[in-house]
Amino acid sequence: MSVRQFTDELLDAARAAAYDDVAEALSVLARADSTPVPAAVVGELVDRCATAVGTHHRTDADAAYTVIVVDERGQLTEVERLPPGPRSAMRALLAALNHDTASREIHVELATCGTPADIVDVLAHLLVWIAELSKPSAAALPALSCFPD
């Protein structure tokens, strides 16, 4: 099965609220013997998030994307307050949006270098972000959820 097919099935299961299937797939993926496998899936999900952003917010090719991080009270905070894996995934997404392939690859690798539980955390964040970005909305981009450790 290709990475694209796997992510298609994973996203279909998430959209269908088949959470047991999603949990099982994430568990198997996080325990994969090969680091490139989770990294390939994270990279695919990052690219899908970037594509979803593009459907919400079209800008000229020279525009730069940035992120504003707020805490659970809606107060501005530092990106370093995010858990390491999701922080790397967020940076990979920003790199993808800003067409910085080398940085995207570095941050995808960093997002998948933790424990199996850390990798599940990253994958869960990316699935939630895709769901949030896929909702039809006004011209503004939706806030992306981040969950503390």
Side-chain angles (χ1 to χ4, degrees), residues 66-93:
T66 60
V67 63
I68 297 170
V69 179
V70 295
D71 64 17
E72 60 278 355
R73 296 179 312 265
Q75 302 296 314
L76 289 176
T77 190
E78 299 296 319
V79 71
E80 285 75 23
R81 299 257 339 258
L82 297 174
R87 179 176 59 228
S88 292
M90 178 68 70
R91 288 181 171 155
L93 173 57

Short mmCIF file of all heavy atoms in Angstrom, two decimals, residues 66-93:
data_model
loop_
_atom_site.label_atom_id
_atom_site.label_comp_id
_atom_site.label_asym_id
_atom_site.label_seq_id
_atom_site.Cartn_x
_atom_site.Cartn_y
_atom_site.Cartn_z
N THR A 66 3.03 32.97 8.29
CA THR A 66 3.50 32.95 9.66
C THR A 66 2.40 32.35 10.52
O THR A 66 1.31 32.07 10.03
CB THR A 66 3.83 34.37 10.18
OG1 THR A 66 2.65 35.16 10.12
CG2 THR A 66 4.93 35.02 9.35
N VAL A 67 2.68 32.18 11.80
CA VAL A 67 1.71 31.60 12.70
C VAL A 67 1.66 32.44 13.97
O VAL A 67 2.67 32.99 14.40
CB VAL A 67 2.05 30.13 13.01
CG1 VAL A 67 3.36 29.99 13.72
CG2 VAL A 67 0.96 29.45 13.77
N ILE A 68 0.48 32.52 14.52
CA ILE A 68 0.29 33.16 15.82
C ILE A 68 -0.18 32.05 16.76
O ILE A 68 -1.12 31.32 16.44
CB ILE A 68 -0.77 34.28 15.75
CG1 ILE A 68 -0.30 35.38 14.82
CG2 ILE A 68 -1.08 34.81 17.14
CD1 ILE A 68 -1.37 36.41 14.51
N VAL A 69 0.48 31.92 17.89
CA VAL A 69 0.14 30.87 18.84
C VAL A 69 -0.52 31.52 20.05
O VAL A 69 0.00 32.48 20.61
CB VAL A 69 1.40 30.08 19.26
CG1 VAL A 69 1.05 28.99 20.27
CG2 VAL A 69 2.08 29.49 18.04
N VAL A 70 -1.67 30.97 20.42
CA VAL A 70 -2.36 31.44 21.62
C VAL A 70 -2.58 30.25 22.56
O VAL A 70 -2.66 29.11 22.12
CB VAL A 70 -3.72 32.11 21.29
CG1 VAL A 70 -3.51 33.39 20.49
CG2 VAL A 70 -4.65 31.18 20.57
N ASP A 71 -2.65 30.55 23.84
CA ASP A 71 -2.87 29.49 24.81
C ASP A 71 -4.36 29.21 24.97
O ASP A 71 -5.19 29.78 24.25
CB ASP A 71 -2.20 29.82 26.15
CG ASP A 71 -2.77 31.04 26.84
OD1 ASP A 71 -3.89 31.49 26.48
OD2 ASP A 71 -2.10 31.57 27.75
N GLU A 72 -4.69 28.34 25.92
CA GLU A 72 -6.09 27.93 26.11
C GLU A 72 -6.98 29.10 26.53
O GLU A 72 -8.20 29.03 26.38
CB GLU A 72 -6.20 26.78 27.12
CG GLU A 72 -5.66 27.09 28.50
CD GLU A 72 -4.14 26.95 28.62
OE1 GLU A 72 -3.48 26.52 27.67
OE2 GLU A 72 -3.62 27.30 29.69
N ARG A 73 -6.39 30.19 27.02
CA ARG A 73 -7.17 31.38 27.39
C ARG A 73 -7.24 32.41 26.26
O ARG A 73 -7.78 33.48 26.44
CB ARG A 73 -6.56 32.02 28.65
CG ARG A 73 -6.64 31.13 29.88
CD ARG A 73 -6.00 31.79 31.09
NE ARG A 73 -4.68 32.35 30.81
CZ ARG A 73 -3.52 31.74 31.02
NH1 ARG A 73 -3.51 30.53 31.54
NH2 ARG A 73 -2.37 32.32 30.74
N GLY A 74 -6.62 32.08 25.12
CA GLY A 74 -6.63 33.00 24.00
C GLY A 74 -5.54 34.06 24.07
O GLY A 74 -5.54 35.00 23.28
N GLN A 75 -4.59 33.90 24.97
CA GLN A 75 -3.49 34.84 25.13
C GLN A 75 -2.33 34.44 24.22
O GLN A 75 -2.02 33.26 24.08
CB GLN A 75 -3.01 34.86 26.59
CG GLN A 75 -4.08 35.23 27.59
CD GLN A 75 -4.57 36.64 27.39
OE1 GLN A 75 -3.79 37.57 27.23
NE2 GLN A 75 -5.88 36.81 27.37
N LEU A 76 -1.67 35.43 23.63
CA LEU A 76 -0.50 35.14 22.80
C LEU A 76 0.55 34.42 23.61
O LEU A 76 0.77 34.73 24.78
CB LEU A 76 0.10 36.44 22.24
CG LEU A 76 -0.71 37.14 21.17
CD1 LEU A 76 -0.03 38.46 20.79
CD2 LEU A 76 -0.86 36.27 19.94
N THR A 77 1.19 33.45 22.99
CA THR A 77 2.25 32.69 23.64
C THR A 77 3.31 32.35 22.61
O THR A 77 3.15 32.63 21.42
CB THR A 77 1.68 31.42 24.32
OG1 THR A 77 2.70 30.83 25.13
CG2 THR A 77 1.15 30.42 23.32
N GLU A 78 4.37 31.75 23.05
CA GLU A 78 5.49 31.38 22.17
C GLU A 78 5.26 30.01 21.55
O GLU A 78 4.71 29.12 22.20
CB GLU A 78 6.80 31.37 22.97
CG GLU A 78 7.15 32.71 23.58
CD GLU A 78 7.42 33.77 22.53
OE1 GLU A 78 8.06 33.46 21.51
OE2 GLU A 78 6.97 34.91 22.73
N VAL A 79 5.72 29.84 20.34
CA VAL A 79 5.59 28.56 19.65
C VAL A 79 6.34 27.46 20.42
O VAL A 79 5.94 26.30 20.36
CB VAL A 79 6.06 28.66 18.18
CG1 VAL A 79 7.56 28.80 18.07
CG2 VAL A 79 5.58 27.46 17.37
N GLU A 80 7.36 27.83 21.17
CA GLU A 80 8.11 26.85 21.95
C GLU A 80 7.27 26.20 23.04
O GLU A 80 7.66 25.19 23.62
CB GLU A 80 9.36 27.48 22.56
CG GLU A 80 10.47 27.72 21.56
CD GLU A 80 10.21 28.90 20.63
OE1 GLU A 80 9.43 29.81 21.00
OE2 GLU A 80 10.76 28.90 19.53
N ARG A 81 6.12 26.77 23.35
CA ARG A 81 5.23 26.18 24.36
C ARG A 81 4.49 24.96 23.81
O ARG A 81 3.92 24.19 24.57
CB ARG A 81 4.20 27.22 24.83
CG ARG A 81 4.80 28.44 25.48
CD ARG A 81 4.73 28.51 26.99
NE ARG A 81 3.77 27.74 27.69
CZ ARG A 81 2.63 28.20 28.19
NH1 ARG A 81 2.29 29.46 28.04
NH2 ARG A 81 1.84 27.41 28.86
N LEU A 82 4.47 24.81 22.49
CA LEU A 82 3.84 23.63 21.90
C LEU A 82 4.70 22.40 22.20
O LEU A 82 5.93 22.51 22.32
CB LEU A 82 3.71 23.79 20.38
CG LEU A 82 2.83 24.91 19.88
CD1 LEU A 82 2.93 25.01 18.36
CD2 LEU A 82 1.40 24.71 20.31
N PRO A 83 4.09 21.23 22.29
CA PRO A 83 4.89 20.00 22.45
C PRO A 83 5.85 19.86 21.26
O PRO A 83 5.55 20.31 20.15
CB PRO A 83 3.84 18.89 22.44
CG PRO A 83 2.55 19.57 22.81
CD PRO A 83 2.65 20.96 22.27
N PRO A 84 7.02 19.25 21.47
CA PRO A 84 8.05 19.20 20.42
C PRO A 84 7.58 18.63 19.08
O PRO A 84 7.88 19.19 18.02
CB PRO A 84 9.14 18.32 21.03
CG PRO A 84 8.95 18.43 22.49
CD PRO A 84 7.48 18.62 22.71
N GLY A 85 6.86 17.51 19.10
CA GLY A 85 6.43 16.91 17.83
C GLY A 85 5.47 17.80 17.06
O GLY A 85 5.71 18.11 15.88
N PRO A 86 4.37 18.22 17.68
CA PRO A 86 3.46 19.13 16.97
C PRO A 86 4.11 20.46 16.57
O PRO A 86 3.80 21.02 15.53
CB PRO A 86 2.32 19.35 17.97
CG PRO A 86 2.31 18.08 18.76
CD PRO A 86 3.76 17.71 18.91
N ARG A 87 5.05 20.94 17.40
CA ARG A 87 5.78 22.17 17.05
C ARG A 87 6.57 21.95 15.76
O ARG A 87 6.53 22.78 14.85
CB ARG A 87 6.71 22.57 18.20
CG ARG A 87 7.52 23.82 17.90
CD ARG A 87 8.37 24.26 19.08
NE ARG A 87 9.31 23.22 19.47
CZ ARG A 87 9.50 22.82 20.72
NH1 ARG A 87 8.82 23.35 21.72
NH2 ARG A 87 10.38 21.89 20.98
N SER A 88 7.22 20.80 15.65
CA SER A 88 7.96 20.49 14.42
C SER A 88 7.01 20.31 13.24
O SER A 88 7.31 20.74 12.12
CB SER A 88 8.81 19.23 14.61
OG SER A 88 9.86 19.49 15.51
N ALA A 89 5.86 19.69 13.48
CA ALA A 89 4.87 19.53 12.41
C ALA A 89 4.35 20.89 11.95
O ALA A 89 4.17 21.12 10.75
CB ALA A 89 3.72 18.64 12.87
N MET A 90 4.11 21.81 12.90
CA MET A 90 3.66 23.16 12.54
C MET A 90 4.74 23.87 11.72
O MET A 90 4.44 24.51 10.72
CB MET A 90 3.35 23.96 13.81
CG MET A 90 2.92 25.40 13.55
SD MET A 90 1.33 25.56 12.74
CE MET A 90 0.25 25.03 14.05
N ARG A 91 5.98 23.71 12.12
CA ARG A 91 7.08 24.33 11.37
C ARG A 91 7.22 23.69 9.99
O ARG A 91 7.52 24.38 9.01
CB ARG A 91 8.37 24.25 12.16
CG ARG A 91 8.36 25.21 13.34
CD ARG A 91 9.62 25.16 14.13
NE ARG A 91 9.63 26.24 15.11
CZ ARG A 91 10.32 26.20 16.23
NH1 ARG A 91 11.07 25.16 16.52
NH2 ARG A 91 10.27 27.22 17.08
N ALA A 92 6.98 22.39 9.89
CA ALA A 92 7.01 21.72 8.58
C ALA A 92 5.90 22.27 7.69
O ALA A 92 6.10 22.52 6.49
CB ALA A 92 6.87 20.21 8.74
N LEU A 93 4.72 22.49 8.27
CA LEU A 93 3.61 23.06 7.51
C LEU A 93 3.95 24.46 7.03
O LEU A 93 3.73 24.79 5.85
CB LEU A 93 2.33 23.08 8.36
CG LEU A 93 1.12 23.80 7.77
CD1 LEU A 93 0.73 23.22 6.40
CD2 LEU A 93 -0.05 23.74 8.74
#
